[in-house]
Amino acid sequence: MTAPLSQPFSIPGMLTDADAESAWIEVIRKMDETYANLVAQQVELERKNAELEEAQAFIASVLESMTDVLIACDRDGRIEQTNPAAERALACTGRDLTGRPLRDFLDQASHAAFARLCSAALRREGGSDVELSLRGPTGPFPVAVNSTVRYDQRGHAIGLVLVGRPIGELRRAYRDLAAAHEGLKQTQQQLVHSEKMASLGRLVAGVAHELNNPISFVYGNAHAMRRYVDRMTAYLDRVHDGASAADLAVSRKDLRIDRARADVTATLDGMLEGTERVRDIVAELRRFSSEQKHASERFDMTALLRSAVTWVARAQMPDLTVVFDLPEALEIAGHPGHLHQVAMNLVQNAIDAMAGAPSKRLELHGREEDGRIVVTIRDSGHGIPDAILGRIFDPFFTTKPVGKGTGLGLSISYQLVHDHGGALTAVNHPGGGALFTLILPAAGCREGAAQ
């Protein structure tokens, strides 16, 4: 018996229409996903490609703008890449340089240094600085090279990166700078020497004025002693010739022997006093001219200030009124010659400030307080203009005409006082004139600090 023809006929394993439609939908969905992934990957690839091109453009711009020579070599010293500065220095394009040994572009004297760099790369040593001389189109092209080892992704040394800075211009600049500095030093030495000569001139004038009195006294007493000796010799000759007592009495009266005898002692004492004064002046000169930078001794600042005024002020300004308000002694420990120079410079500055002033008065006050010696020097000049008050201790600053001053006196004084652990300041006194204040450690405080 056969089945009715209207009943569907199915073969086992065959898909129905519903199943086929579902399969096609799944295939289309998978294709959409794949396409979407391909589009996303394409977009990411294009983004990374844009970033890569941007990075390459940035690196290219950096290499282009570099003035230093950059050469990348392999382990055997063959050129792999260069920057435009290196291509300009070697007068070759990057394509012509690639693959060629760098030794071909080095002077013979630089071959050994370059060989050491390559050996260091093989030994995986760190970077080093050497000087190489490239052979440029116009002659040797010296560069100061910094060398570093280049590694691959696995950490293997694969070559060198050389960065060289041209040193020709640097050397010329250094030579010009050295020449200018040497000229400046010579000029400074000449100015310092001029200041020393000016100080020496003031010192010589003051010393000559100071020495004149005791030397004149000794000279006059020496002539008096010569007359006394002549009279006594004549009297003794008559005694030896056997003259009578009456004749000797007459001769004694005529030759004024008794007066000579009475004056001899005073005359000799005066000569000794004059020579001792000369000796003291010479001793002060020796202390003043001492060049022992580390020689420190105790001395009296009061005596030093008085001698500075005597040597400088009285010789240049006879009508000067000097007021000393100083204790009998102000003990200082330091270099007396240097501080004597400071005192002379301050007094000289006051003398210059009072030139042309109607009243010439110099006041020196000194005291000891809190372990410090404080000395003030005031003049009756016109004072210091406010515009330059903060610059008077600057080296080479002066308000005097050209040829009248070097501008180093106060600067040197400021440094010498600072070396002694003190301070030097300047202000305008309310009553007129300039007021310089010198502050120094007292003898006991400075010696204690030194210990």
Side-chain angles (χ1 to χ4, degrees):
M1 183 175 181
T2 62
L5 293 177
S6 59
Q7 186 176 358
F9 177 80
S10 62
I11 302 174
M14 293 184 61
L15 296 176
T16 64
D17 293 340
D19 293 336
E21 184 177 356
S22 298
W24 279 112
I25 292 174
E26 183 67 19
V27 170
I28 292 173
R29 188 177 65 80
K30 292 294 185 182
M31 290 178 62
D32 289 340
E33 290 180 0
T34 302
Y35 181 76
N37 290 335
L38 289 175
V39 171
Q41 292 176 4
Q42 180 65 24
V43 171
E44 181 67 17
L45 183 61
E46 290 178 356
R47 185 183 64 80
K48 291 184 177 179
N49 185 57
E51 292 178 353
L52 180 61
E53 290 179 352
E54 184 179 353
Q56 289 178 341
F58 176 76
I59 294 174
S61 65
V62 171
L63 295 177
E64 180 68 31
S65 63
M66 285 180 60
T67 58
D68 293 351
V69 173
L70 186 144
I71 301 175
C73 301
D74 61 13
R75 297 178 53 171
D76 297 328
R78 289 188 297 269
I79 299 175
E80 293 185 335
Q81 190 172 355
T82 57
N83 70 335
E87 296 170 7
R88 290 192 296 268
L90 300 176
C92 291
T93 63
R95 182 175 299 177
D96 295 334
L97 293 172
T98 302
R100 297 182 60 180
L102 182 57
R103 288 171 54 92
D104 296 346
F105 299 94
L106 297 176
D107 284 344
Q108 184 68 31
S110 299
H111 287 178
F114 181 65
R116 289 194 294 270
L117 290 180
C118 294
S119 299
L122 294 175
R123 295 192 300 269
R124 301 170 61 89
E125 295 180 356
S128 59
D129 295 330
V130 296
E131 182 177 330
L132 300 178
S133 180
L134 303 177
R135 291 191 301 179
T138 59
F141 187 78
V143 290
V145 174
N146 177 270
S147 171
T148 56
V149 181
R150 187 161 57 98
Y151 300 95
D152 61 9
Q153 296 179 350
R154 294 175 295 178
H156 297 160
I158 59 175
L160 294 173
V161 177
L162 308 178
V163 179
R165 172 162 296 181
I167 60 178
E169 293 296 330
L170 288 176
R171 285 180 174 175
R172 284 193 291 270
Y174 283 142
R175 285 196 297 267
D176 295 342
L177 181 61
H181 184 256
E182 188 64 28
L184 180 61
K185 284 174 37 179
Q186 292 179 0
T187 303
Q188 184 177 2
Q189 290 174 358
Q190 293 173 358
L191 289 174
V192 172
H193 181 71
S194 299
E195 176 63 26
K196 289 183 178 179
M197 290 298 101
S199 299
L200 182 61
R202 296 191 294 267
L203 178 63
V204 170
V207 171
H209 182 271
E210 187 69 10
L211 287 175
N212 184 59
N213 290 334
I215 291 178
S216 298
F217 194 64
V218 171
Y219 185 75
N221 285 357
H223 279 283
M225 285 297 299
R226 172 61 64 87
R227 292 194 299 270
Y228 295 158
V229 169
D230 291 341
R231 294 175 190 176
M232 292 181 181
T233 300
Y235 181 76
L236 290 176
D237 288 341
R238 294 179 185 179
V239 171
H240 288 296
D241 291 340
S244 63
D247 292 337
L248 290 177
V250 172
S251 298
R252 184 170 184 172
K253 182 178 179 181
D254 293 339
L255 295 175
R256 293 176 291 181
I257 298 299
D258 294 334
R259 182 177 177 181
R261 287 180 56 194
D263 290 344
V264 164
T265 301
T267 303
L268 289 175
D269 290 341
M271 293 177 68
L272 288 175
E273 181 180 354
T275 54
E276 289 175 355
R277 177 57 185 153
V278 172
R279 180 199 62 192
D280 294 340
I281 294 174
V282 172
E284 292 178 359
L285 281 173
R286 292 180 63 183
R287 288 196 300 269
F288 176 77
S289 61
S290 175
E291 291 296 335
Q292 300 179 18
K293 296 183 179 180
H294 301 289
S296 180
E297 59 180 273
R298 293 174 69 99
F299 61 94
D300 183 11
M301 192 67 181
T302 297
L304 184 145
L305 292 171
R306 290 182 179 275
S307 66
V309 173
T310 300
W311 289 2
V312 178
R314 292 178 178 173
Q316 299 185 39
M317 193 171 283
D319 57 341
L320 175 67
T321 300
V322 182
V323 177
F324 287 105
D325 180 18
L326 301 170
E328 293 185 1
L330 289 171
E331 290 293 327
I332 292 285
H335 195 300
H338 289 173
L339 292 181
H340 200 291
Q341 182 179 359
V342 171
M344 288 185 61
N345 285 338
L346 294 178
V347 173
Q348 182 63 49
N349 186 76
I351 295 297
D352 296 338
M354 291 185 290
S359 175
K360 299 177 175 63
R361 179 183 176 89
L362 181 65
E363 298 180 6
L364 291 92
H365 302 269
R367 63 187 185 277
E368 181 177 353
E369 59 180 24
D370 299 331
R372 300 182 303 171
I373 302 299
V374 180
V375 176
T376 59
I377 300 177
R378 179 194 173 189
D379 60 67
S380 60
H382 302 291
I384 307 172
D386 294 336
I388 65 172
L389 186 58
R391 302 177 57 195
I392 60 173
F393 294 116
D394 292 347
F396 309 114
F397 177 77
T398 179
T399 58
K400 299 177 183 177
V402 177
K404 297 296 184 180
T406 62
L408 289 174
L410 291 179
S411 175
I412 292 175
S413 300
Y414 184 89
Q415 185 61 44
L416 291 176
V417 172
H418 183 270
D419 293 342
H420 280 76
L424 179 62
T425 59
V427 296
N428 287 314
H429 194 276
L435 178 68
F436 284 82
T437 302
L438 174 64
I439 301 176
L440 292 167
C445 296
R446 179 171 175 83
E447 291 170 348
Q451 293 176 359

